[in-house]
Amino acid sequence: MRLSFKTTTSAALLLTLTACSSMPAKKTTEPKMQSLVTPSSALDPVNVRAEADYNFIMGDVLSREGKSEQAVPLFEKVAALDPNSAAVQMRLSAEYLKVGKVKEAILKAEQAVAKDSKNIESLLVLGGLYSADKSYDKAIAQYKAVLHLEPKNSEAPIYIGSLYADKKEFKKAEQYFHSLLKDPGYETPHEVYYYIGLTHLDQEGVGHQKSAEKALKKALEIKPGFEDALISLANLYLQQNNRGKALALCLEYQKQENFSPKVADLIAQIYIEDGDSEKAYSQLEMISGNSESSLDVQMKMALLLIEQKRFNQAGAKLKDIVAQYPTADSARYYLAAVQEETGDMENAIRNYMQVPHSSKHFSEAIVHAAHLLKGQGKLNQALVITQKGLQTKADKPQVYTMYASLLDAKADYLGAAQVLEQGLSKYSKNVELLFQHALILDRLGRKDTMIAQMKKVLEIEPNHVQSLSYLAFSLAELNQHLPEAERLARRALELDPKDGYVLDTLGWVLFKQKRFSESIQVLEKAHEYQASASIIAEHLADAYSMHSQADKARQMYEKAASLTTDQKRVSKIRSKLRELSLSVSYLK
């Protein structure tokens, strides 16, 4: 993917301008701050200047703290007090850009340029804003205005050529770049070759890849430490699946240029994709140790620790990240996940519930918190947070299924059905919603509708193991379509041959077909995989009983009864034991 150097540079320049515009003027005999405001003659100049300076300083403080949303209204007040200040308009433009208001940023930059049309930095910034807005012709016009004022400017020509490439006018872009190289006095030819390389990377075909490689190598030949060119060349090799060449290039660069955090990050990414998490982690450690560790780097380190199952270290790292970046929602979510993994359920729930509504992890956090609360028997609390989640921004299929499972646990089957139907009205082809809805329909005794719903799941996802097994078992219980039930059960077993419950389904289908010997073989294997499952033990006992293995049947019925706390099932199993004893006595 092509680097938008011109856009990022312009944005950086705009932020640099904002910092400069808020600095005090040079000290004279008596130190004082030079106001950016030219007081309006219609108002009290002293009061206007004081109010404007106060709002500007407070806005600057908030901006530096990363609170641009709060800074914007203050800078708007300054702009209203002095609408003729180009510097203030540029500062407001910068703040608009920070909060994602590109159109407003452009308008203020246009106003600033209109007031001071010979300010090179403002023209460059406006060109960058037009470029970000894909108003390419307007951007080119700004950069040409820069060249008119300053013919030897080295940035504007690069931006112009790159904009031609953005417009897909590749030949024109290449011709323009090559025309720059004909000027022996051009100060940055390495950048020109770099952009020639990027222009070729924007185009498909082996020929363009070769031309890109040649241009990027030339850029590095002219300036060996040119980091952007090195990274682009390495990414080209990765695109060609030549990972070894990319890695060797980056490692050699690190030796020659001492150390580059960006290159180390790319090396780490290569190691991650190669599955070498330890080497990847060591690269990220070097980044962390050689510079102020960014959130992105620290998160990568934490996720690698999780991948390596070094949960205590991952938890410590994530706690540090949350302390340093309290609004880092991904860090908080993964911290909760680590705490859940290590059994620290209370803190896991607390952190899941602190994941903000705006986070991409919000729905998952709600589901995890509710699941943990359900495990603690706190069904009402789990219901409350799940319901609130649905009322905010957690309108996702998994939240509906969790909410329904909680209502199911409270035996509110009608309520669960309504919740799932609400979810299905938005996500009609979501297999988990359809599957759980089928389960609830079965609880409500609506067998025919349940079967139709299960078949709908299998139409969408033919290999849905749970649906295959459940439908097969249901048909067996109804003594209907037993050959079809066997086919479904065997298909489920092919997909998951070590699932005790799937084996139980096949064994029960065989039992219903009176193939008791085969049934016993399958059910014994099911019991081996799920020795604590009461229902499987009961089915095996039934098969033993029908196959005249009374002692084994008695032992298994006793075990089935001991494995459940459901007194209705215990009574049912005890009844089967009495029938078995009577049958054995009669035969004697």
Side-chain angles (χ1 to χ4, degrees):
M1 186 176 177
R2 195 163 184 276
L3 285 171
S4 184
F5 179 79
K6 61 185 180 303
T7 304
T8 54
T9 302
S10 298
L13 176 57
L14 179 51
L15 296 179
T16 301
L17 282 173
T18 67
C20 292
S21 66
S22 62
M23 293 289 286
K26 290 183 180 179
K27 292 182 179 180
T28 57
T29 313
E30 294 181 13
K32 63 179 180 178
M33 177 175 283
Q34 176 65 47
S35 174
L36 288 169
V37 177
T38 305
S40 169
S41 59
L43 300 171
D44 182 346
V46 175
N47 289 339
V48 169
R49 175 170 177 165
E51 185 180 353
D53 283 348
Y54 172 79
N55 282 297
F56 191 93
I57 291 167
M58 294 305 296
D60 185 56
V61 169
L62 290 168
S63 176
R64 290 174 187 275
E65 291 177 350
K67 300 175 182 176
S68 290
E69 289 282 359
Q70 298 173 42
V72 164
L74 298 176
F75 287 119
E76 287 175 337
K77 286 182 182 178
V78 179
L81 288 165
D82 182 20
N84 296 317
S85 171
V88 170
Q89 301 297 334
M90 288 304 298
R91 182 58 194 267
L92 183 52
S93 175
E95 295 305 317
Y96 279 141
L97 184 62
K98 287 181 186 178
V99 298
K101 295 183 176 181
V102 178
K103 297 292 185 186
E104 291 86 342
I106 289 172
L107 178 61
K108 290 301 171 185
E110 286 174 339
Q111 291 173 359
V113 168
K115 296 177 192 309
D116 185 0
S117 61
K118 294 185 179 181
N119 186 301
I120 299 295
E121 290 176 336
S122 296
L123 290 166
L124 288 170
V125 167
L126 181 54
L129 289 169
Y130 281 142
S131 176
D133 197 44
K134 301 188 186 304
S135 299
Y136 299 131
D137 290 336
K138 287 184 176 181
I140 290 170
Q142 293 303 311
Y143 295 134
K144 285 184 175 179
V146 170
L147 289 175
H148 178 74
L149 294 168
E150 191 179 280
K152 292 295 183 180
N153 185 283
S154 61
E155 294 175 272
I158 293 290
Y159 299 160
I160 291 170
S162 188
L163 283 165
Y164 288 139
D166 283 345
K167 292 175 68 178
K168 308 298 180 187
E169 296 177 5
F170 298 118
K171 287 292 182 186
K172 192 170 184 178
E174 288 178 52
Q175 290 170 358
Y176 188 85
F177 284 132
H178 283 292
S179 72
L180 297 177
L181 293 172
K182 291 177 183 178
D183 179 0
Y186 193 78
E187 294 180 354
T188 56
H190 60 284
E191 286 191 0
V192 177
Y193 280 110
Y194 169 64
Y195 274 97
I196 290 173
L198 294 188
T199 301
H200 283 292
L201 287 176
D202 267 350
Q203 302 172 77
E204 295 182 359
V206 176
H208 285 298
Q209 288 188 351
K210 288 181 178 178
S211 296
E213 182 180 10
K214 182 179 177 181
L216 292 169
K217 283 182 172 179
K218 184 67 177 176
L220 286 165
E221 179 187 322
I222 297 169
K223 187 177 179 180
F226 192 2
E227 187 180 74
D228 287 340
L230 181 283
I231 290 172
S232 293
L233 183 57
N235 279 319
L236 171 59
Y237 291 147
L238 290 174
Q239 186 181 336
Q240 296 170 338
N241 292 319
N242 197 337
R243 307 177 69 77
K245 198 170 184 179
L247 183 59
L249 177 70
C250 291
L251 291 173
E252 182 60 28
Y253 180 89
Q254 294 292 67
K255 286 181 183 177
Q256 299 297 327
E257 302 301 323
N258 295 323
F259 181 80
S260 160
K262 286 184 181 179
V263 176
D265 193 35
L266 180 56
I267 293 171
Q269 191 58 41
I270 294 171
Y271 282 137
I272 288 169
E273 291 175 8
D274 285 344
D276 195 337
S277 58
E278 288 191 13
K279 285 185 178 178
Y281 191 85
S282 68
Q283 289 293 320
L284 295 171
E285 273 190 315
M286 286 191 285
I287 300 173
S288 178
N290 279 266
S291 64
E292 184 179 344
S293 182
S294 69
L295 174 59
D296 179 59
V297 169
Q298 291 192 59
M299 278 302 301
K300 285 181 182 177
M301 293 174 74
L303 293 176
L304 282 171
L305 289 169
I306 292 173
E307 185 179 315
Q308 295 168 10
K309 301 190 184 303
R310 293 157 65 184
F311 298 120
N312 289 335
Q313 290 170 269
K317 171 67 71 175
L318 288 163
K319 283 180 183 176
D320 288 343
I321 296 171
V322 169
Q324 189 177 357
Y325 303 96
T327 59
D329 57 282
S330 289
R332 190 172 294 281
Y333 173 77
Y334 284 110
L335 174 58
V338 167
Q339 289 166 336
E340 180 180 354
E341 181 69 31
T342 56
D344 186 3
M345 300 309 181
E346 293 303 325
N347 280 319
I349 292 169
R350 179 177 58 80
N351 278 304
Y352 279 135
M353 291 178 68
Q354 286 184 44
V355 174
H357 298 165
S358 57
S359 171
K360 65 180 180 180
H361 301 294
F362 181 58
S363 295
E364 290 83 357
I366 287 289
V367 169
H368 277 275
H371 173 73
L372 294 179
L373 288 166
K374 180 183 178 184
Q376 295 178 345
K378 299 175 181 176
L379 289 179
N380 289 335
Q381 194 174 342
L383 279 164
V384 167
I385 67 165
T386 311
Q387 187 177 38
K388 283 183 178 177
L390 284 175
Q391 290 169 351
T392 53
K393 294 186 178 179
D395 191 2
K396 298 288 178 65
Q398 62 266 40
V399 185
Y400 286 102
T401 56
M402 173 52 70
Y403 193 17
S405 76
L406 295 169
L407 293 169
D408 183 14
K410 290 177 73 72
D412 183 0
Y413 305 132
L414 283 173
Q418 289 171 358
V419 167
L420 291 165
E421 285 158 12
Q422 184 184 352
L424 285 167
S425 69
K426 299 176 182 180
Y427 307 100
S428 60
K429 294 187 177 180
N430 183 273
V431 293
E432 295 311 313
L433 280 171
L434 287 165
F435 175 73
Q436 192 163 351
H437 189 228
L439 298 185
I440 296 299
L441 291 171
D442 198 14
R443 305 258 202 282
L444 291 168
R446 296 163 61 182
K447 297 288 185 183
D448 290 344
T449 314
M450 175 273 288
I451 289 171
Q453 192 82 308
M454 284 294 181
K455 288 182 177 180
K456 189 173 182 180
V457 173
L458 293 172
E459 286 174 11
I460 298 169
E461 191 175 316
N463 293 336
H464 195 272
V465 174
Q466 291 172 297
S467 294
L468 288 165
S469 182
Y470 199 94
L471 180 55
F473 188 86
S474 299
L475 291 173
E477 284 286 87
L478 294 167
N479 264 316
Q480 294 177 0
H481 310 293
L482 293 178
E484 181 189 354
E486 183 178 349
R487 179 185 63 78
L488 291 167
R490 291 193 182 281
R491 176 60 184 150
L493 194 59
E494 284 176 15
L495 295 166
D496 198 349
K498 294 185 178 180
D499 188 312
Y501 289 103
V502 173
L503 281 160
D504 176 65
T505 294
L506 177 58
W508 196 239
V509 170
L510 294 169
F511 178 90
K512 289 290 186 176
Q513 294 179 85
K514 304 187 186 306
R515 293 156 62 182
F516 302 122
S517 179
E518 294 174 72
S519 174
I520 287 170
Q521 290 179 355
V522 175
L523 288 168
E524 283 179 338
K525 198 169 185 180
H527 180 62
E528 186 181 321
Y529 283 124
Q530 295 287 344
S532 62
S534 174
I535 189 67
I536 295 176
E538 184 183 350
H539 287 162
L540 180 54
D542 289 343
Y544 284 144
S545 177
M546 294 302 294
H547 203 245
S548 301
Q549 298 184 44
D551 288 342
K552 286 186 175 181
R554 186 180 297 108
Q555 291 172 8
M556 202 53 63
Y557 278 134
E558 292 285 2
K559 186 170 184 179
S562 71
L563 289 171
T564 181
T565 57
D566 184 341
Q567 292 307 308
K568 287 185 179 180
R569 286 204 62 244
V570 171
S571 297
K572 177 186 171 186
I573 294 167
R574 294 292 177 196
S575 177
K576 287 183 178 182
L577 267 169
R578 286 192 295 274
E579 289 176 12
L580 179 64
S581 297
L582 288 171
S583 175
V584 171
S585 298
Y586 176 78
L587 290 172
K588 287 180 178 178

